[in-house]
Amino acid sequence: MLKNKKKTTEEEKVALENQTQSEIEQEIEQVNEARASEVDSEVEAVEEISVEEKLQAELKEATDKYLRLYAEFDNYKRRTTKERIELLHTAGKDVLLSFLPVADDLERAIKAMESVSDVKAIKEGIILVSSKLKNTLSQKGIKEMESIGTVFDADIHEAITNIPAPSDDLRGKVIDEVEKGYYLNDKVLRFAKVVVGS
């Protein structure tokens, strides 16, 4: 009996040790699981922080790109405005330069009128200056409008007055031209001021 008791106590001890060992193992597993969940939550927090920092960096980069692009566009706008103003100031420079010789010829003709008694020579000089002016205008794309005898067209003519037509075929046509009209590269530069037959 004693042996049985000893066996039972030893078995109980072994059972108790096994139970304790399994409890310890369970506790270790619980501690490991707790540590793993803590590590996972720390990793998630670190990942969240790194994602947030990454987004902050991307936002900063995008803002920097936007500011640079805006500054470049502002510089472009200023530069083109300055160029446009310069172009407006100097746009007619070549045209004006081409008219200076005609102006010089006119001055010479005026001086010649003071000392010359021959009207025929003055008339020829004025005709030469006039033809030089017309050549200069045609080189710049300006040509005269032929209006007399044509049908009145409100797109190119400006009627000053209507007069009774001398014949039936001149009704609705231009009878006289008060001021010549001009084209610039096939567009109306100045409307012709005309008298129309009615």
Side-chain angles (χ1 to χ4, degrees):
M1 196 124 189
L2 208 66
K3 274 189 179 183
N4 277 343
K5 255 190 178 181
K6 271 188 181 181
K7 267 187 180 179
T8 318
T9 0
E10 281 183 26
E11 285 175 4
E12 285 177 357
K13 271 186 183 178
V14 169
L16 189 60
E17 283 177 8
N18 285 341
Q19 184 182 3
T20 311
Q21 191 173 8
S22 68
E23 286 176 359
I24 290 173
E25 285 175 0
Q26 283 178 353
E27 284 181 20
I28 289 174
E29 278 181 37
Q30 287 175 353
V31 168
N32 284 340
E33 285 176 8
R35 281 189 183 163
S37 66
E38 284 177 13
V39 168
D40 286 343
S41 65
E42 286 177 10
V43 167
E44 285 177 11
V46 168
E47 285 178 3
E48 285 178 12
I49 291 172
S50 66
V51 168
E52 187 176 310
E53 288 174 356
K54 185 178 177 183
L55 290 174
Q56 288 284 347
E58 288 176 6
L59 176 65
K60 187 176 181 181
E61 183 180 333
T63 304
D64 186 48
K65 282 182 182 178
Y66 167 75
L67 289 175
R68 288 178 189 273
L69 185 63
Y70 184 78
E72 285 178 21
F73 179 71
D74 195 38
N75 290 339
Y76 167 76
K77 230 170 44 172
R78 274 194 226 124
R79 187 176 62 248
T80 55
T81 302
K82 184 180 176 185
E83 288 172 357
R84 191 177 300 133
I85 289 170
E86 287 176 7
L87 182 65
L88 288 174
H89 286 300
T90 61
K93 182 180 177 182
D94 61 332
V95 175
L96 295 174
L97 280 173
S98 65
F99 284 115
L100 290 179
V102 177
D104 294 338
D105 289 346
L106 281 172
E107 277 186 34
R108 286 194 272 291
I110 291 170
K111 284 183 184 176
M113 282 193 312
E114 293 173 0
S115 63
V116 175
S117 60
D118 187 15
V119 178
K120 188 176 180 184
I122 297 292
K123 187 177 179 182
E124 287 176 9
I126 297 290
I127 290 171
L128 285 173
V129 171
S130 175
S131 67
K132 188 173 187 178
L133 176 64
K134 286 180 183 180
N135 286 337
T136 305
L137 288 172
S138 67
Q139 287 174 357
K140 298 302 174 186
I142 297 174
K143 62 183 178 181
E144 292 180 359
M145 197 181 285
E146 296 298 326
S147 298
I148 297 176
T150 61
V151 176
F152 175 75
D153 184 1
D155 291 335
I156 59 173
H157 299 128
E158 183 179 334
I160 301 294
T161 186
N162 289 339
I163 62 168
S167 63
D168 286 340
D169 63 328
L170 290 177
R171 283 191 182 177
K173 291 187 177 180
V174 176
I175 295 174
D176 192 18
E177 190 174 50
V178 177
E179 192 173 85
K180 249 189 193 319
Y182 290 93
Y183 292 109
L184 174 62
N185 299 324
D186 297 327
K187 286 189 172 184
V188 176
L189 180 63
R190 184 174 81 179
F191 294 99
K193 293 183 180 176
V194 296
V195 176
V196 181
S198 58

